[in-house]
Amino acid sequence: MSRGSTLTTTSFAILGLLAVQPWSTYELTRQMDRSLGRIWPRAQSKLYEEPKKLVELGLAEASTEPVGRRPRTVYAITAAGRRALAGWLAEPGAGPVIEFEQLLKIFFAEQGTRADALATLAAAHAWAVERNEDNLVAAREYQAGAGPFQHRAAQNVLIGAFLVEFYRMVAEWADWATEQVEGWPQDPSRAIAEPALLAEVGRRADWDRPRVPLTRRGPSGIGD
Amino acid sequence: MSRGSTLTTTSFAILGLLAVQPWSTYELTRQMDRSLGRIWPRAQSKLYEEPKKLVELGLAEASTEPVGRRPRTVYAITAAGRRALAGWLAEPGAGPVIEFEQLLKIFFAEQGTRADALATLAAAHAWAVERNEDNLVAAREYQAGAGPFQHRAAQNVLIGAFLVEFYRMVAEWADWATEQVEGWPQDPSRAIAEPALLAEVGRRADWDRPRVPLTRRGPSGIGD
DNA sequence: TTCTTCATGTAATTAGTTACATGATTGA
DNA sequence: TCAATCATGTAACTAATTACATGAAGAA
């Protein structure tokens, strides 16, 4: 069974799509572009490769049909594939991983100009607006009855809600951060953080603390 | 200058750290673990490799000092390195990329059990709580004066705020999604999405629309 | 009939991870 | 003085991306 470990999350993403219906590879790439790619982004060529592995392992079957003189490969899940997928779904899985280049640039803002930082934040805001628009377009298409996923609305709305909240959060953060940076001096390496700001962020981080009533020990401040 | 294109975002992440102060490779890996890794996660061995590339390109200098019988390499940025970094900071950069395996499992929830989905959401919530705790620990260490970044508080608080909001958002989404899934039948493939729910998510997505007053065309619904 | 876009892949390259190896230091 | 952990790397492997190539279909 050591071959079982050769399946990556990307493999299961494909396998999951095949569980919904058979797809040609091109259709898979479209689907990735439009929906799955938001939460599991992968290059096109990967989507031509992975299904072959699934076939090797007996989790999917390939059939070719001609389109003019050239063949097209359509993949379908097998019973073994459904079992493997169910097994994967029973494991809790990994939490979100973020890669955020723009935030990296903010992290090193003191090595550049204030204008650099503001431009980066503007780009981040624009990114969130654009993604949100895409999301709305997809949702509207979906509501209009396009796509093969009408019967999957209950799941889709959970994904959509996550993305909506994420884009909104990024945009709000970028707005807030822009205000902060606008308050910086021209040379960002001289910027200082007001204690009140640190305290405010600290309070926002307090959502997961158990709400035990604290014993008051006098009018002391943070870090006490 | 085609060699210039060999620098990746990871290279600049390292270069940025070197701009703050010289580090030994091990210190770099610690720093990645504790802070930068949250927004640009990379494996340890990468951090031993990248600085060599920077040295080759003249953007950093290596010096070795003995620790007992074995050498330790310490890297420092050069003037050319600072210029390269400033150039990179002047470009707007890429927006956030998310990989979220647990969300993928929710997307395919109908292929598993309702209990699977609930366990996955519980794991997502636990992940957010744990990361938030880590974040708080790091922030407290930081406030206590540990770490070499006291003079970078203004930048750090922007990063910290983003992470706080992200973890909070994930936790709140997981709570909300759990409520939804609890309302599903035992067989998730029979779950249906109430129109009111779709409408609510649609409204939440409305934050970026221009607030032009719409011409009323009667009591029509969504998608009109 | 030619140009553009849709569709279907492969090849070359690189970025990144996992696994391993071993010296130094500290505390029981 | 032994075990555990801190510290410093290398090697082998794999996942993923970028670039390329070309046929089919539809529009001008």
Side-chain angles (χ1 to χ4, degrees):
Chain A
M1 286 301 284
S2 73
R3 294 304 304 269
S5 65
T6 62
L7 288 175
T8 65
T9 301
T10 303
S11 315
F12 284 110
I14 306 282
L15 192 57
L17 284 175
L18 297 183
V20 175
Q21 63 171 52
W23 306 80
S24 77
T25 320
Y26 182 74
E27 288 167 331
L28 282 174
T29 67
R30 300 285 310 182
Q31 199 52 36
M32 275 295 204
D33 254 20
R34 293 177 48 246
S35 68
L36 258 200
R38 304 279 176 244
I39 58 176
W40 201 260
R42 285 301 173 265
Q44 227 201 38
S45 67
K46 204 71 203 158
L47 308 184
Y48 278 87
E49 225 176 86
E50 280 294 337
K52 294 182 189 169
K53 197 158 85 181
L54 296 177
V55 170
E56 255 182 56
L57 295 170
L59 307 178
E61 283 173 336
S63 58
T64 52
E65 47 185 61
V67 178
R69 269 183 304 158
R70 89 195 283 183
R72 166 215 315 250
T73 312
V74 174
Y75 293 94
I77 196 168
T78 63
R82 286 194 192 275
R83 283 194 299 274
L85 185 60
W88 177 71
L89 286 171
E91 292 159 24
V97 173
I98 288 204
E99 289 183 359
F100 196 170
E101 190 188 36
Q102 289 163 341
L103 193 52
L104 210 52
K105 297 196 184 200
I106 297 301
F107 188 72
F108 295 123
E110 87 279 2
Q111 308 291 330
T113 70
R114 199 183 69 141
D116 289 344
L118 289 172
T120 296
L121 290 171
H125 189 275
W127 178 92
V129 168
E130 199 197 317
R131 283 300 177 103
N132 195 53
E133 295 289 350
D134 290 354
N135 211 22
L136 281 169
V137 169
R140 240 177 271 122
E141 276 179 20
Y142 178 78
Q143 276 200 321
F149 290 153
Q150 292 302 305
H151 57 109
R152 299 182 72 258
Q155 292 89 287
N156 267 305
V157 73
L158 300 183
I159 312 308
F162 177 85
L163 293 175
V164 164
E165 297 303 322
F166 181 63
Y167 300 145
R168 172 204 284 270
M169 184 242 121
V170 170
E172 284 177 358
W173 171 81
D175 285 342
W176 171 85
T178 298
E179 279 175 35
Q180 304 307 319
V181 173
E182 278 169 348
W184 287 4
Q186 279 298 326
D187 176 1
S189 67
R190 295 186 193 283
I192 53 164
E194 290 169 34
L197 188 66
L198 296 172
E200 189 201 322
V201 174
R203 272 196 305 280
R204 297 279 297 172
D206 228 22
W207 54 268
D208 78 325
R209 316 317 308 279
R211 292 276 178 259
V212 292
L214 294 171
T215 332
R216 272 205 77 106
R217 286 192 289 172
S220 53
I222 288 178
D224 181 55
Chain B
M1 285 308 282
S2 72
R3 295 305 302 269
S5 67
T6 62
L7 287 176
T8 65
T9 302
T10 304
S11 315
F12 284 111
I14 305 282
L15 193 56
L17 283 175
L18 297 183
V20 175
Q21 61 171 55
W23 306 79
S24 77
T25 321
Y26 182 73
E27 287 167 331
L28 282 175
T29 67
R30 301 284 310 180
Q31 200 51 38
M32 274 296 201
D33 253 20
R34 292 175 51 244
S35 68
L36 258 199
R38 304 281 175 243
I39 57 176
W40 200 260
R42 285 300 174 265
Q44 230 202 34
S45 67
K46 204 72 203 158
L47 308 185
Y48 279 86
E49 225 176 86
E50 280 295 338
K52 294 180 190 169
K53 197 160 83 179
L54 297 177
V55 169
E56 254 181 58
L57 296 170
L59 307 179
E61 282 173 336
S63 59
T64 52
E65 49 185 59
V67 179
R69 270 182 306 159
R70 89 194 283 181
R72 164 213 318 249
T73 312
V74 174
Y75 294 93
I77 196 169
T78 63
R82 285 192 193 279
R83 284 194 298 273
L85 184 61
W88 177 70
L89 287 171
E91 293 158 23
V97 173
I98 287 204
E99 289 184 0
F100 196 171
E101 190 188 36
Q102 290 164 342
L103 193 52
L104 209 53
K105 299 198 183 200
I106 297 301
F107 189 73
F108 295 124
E110 87 279 0
Q111 308 291 331
T113 70
R114 199 183 70 143
D116 289 345
L118 289 172
T120 296
L121 290 171
H125 189 274
W127 178 91
V129 169
E130 199 196 316
R131 283 300 176 103
N132 195 53
E133 295 288 350
D134 290 355
N135 211 21
L136 281 169
V137 168
R140 241 176 271 124
E141 274 179 21
Y142 178 77
Q143 276 200 321
F149 289 154
Q150 293 302 306
H151 57 108
R152 301 182 69 256
Q155 292 90 288
N156 267 304
V157 73
L158 299 184
I159 312 309
F162 177 85
L163 293 175
V164 163
E165 296 304 320
F166 181 64
Y167 299 146
R168 173 204 284 269
M169 184 243 122
V170 170
E172 282 176 359
W173 170 82
D175 284 343
W176 171 86
T178 297
E179 278 174 35
Q180 304 306 319
V181 174
E182 277 167 350
W184 286 5
Q186 278 299 327
D187 176 1
S189 68
R190 297 187 191 283
I192 55 166
E194 290 169 34
L197 189 65
L198 296 172
E200 189 202 322
V201 174
R203 274 197 304 281
R204 295 281 296 174
D206 227 23
W207 55 268
D208 78 326
R209 319 312 310 279
R211 294 276 176 261
V212 291
L214 295 171
T215 334
R216 273 206 75 107
R217 286 191 291 172
S220 54
I222 289 178
D224 180 55

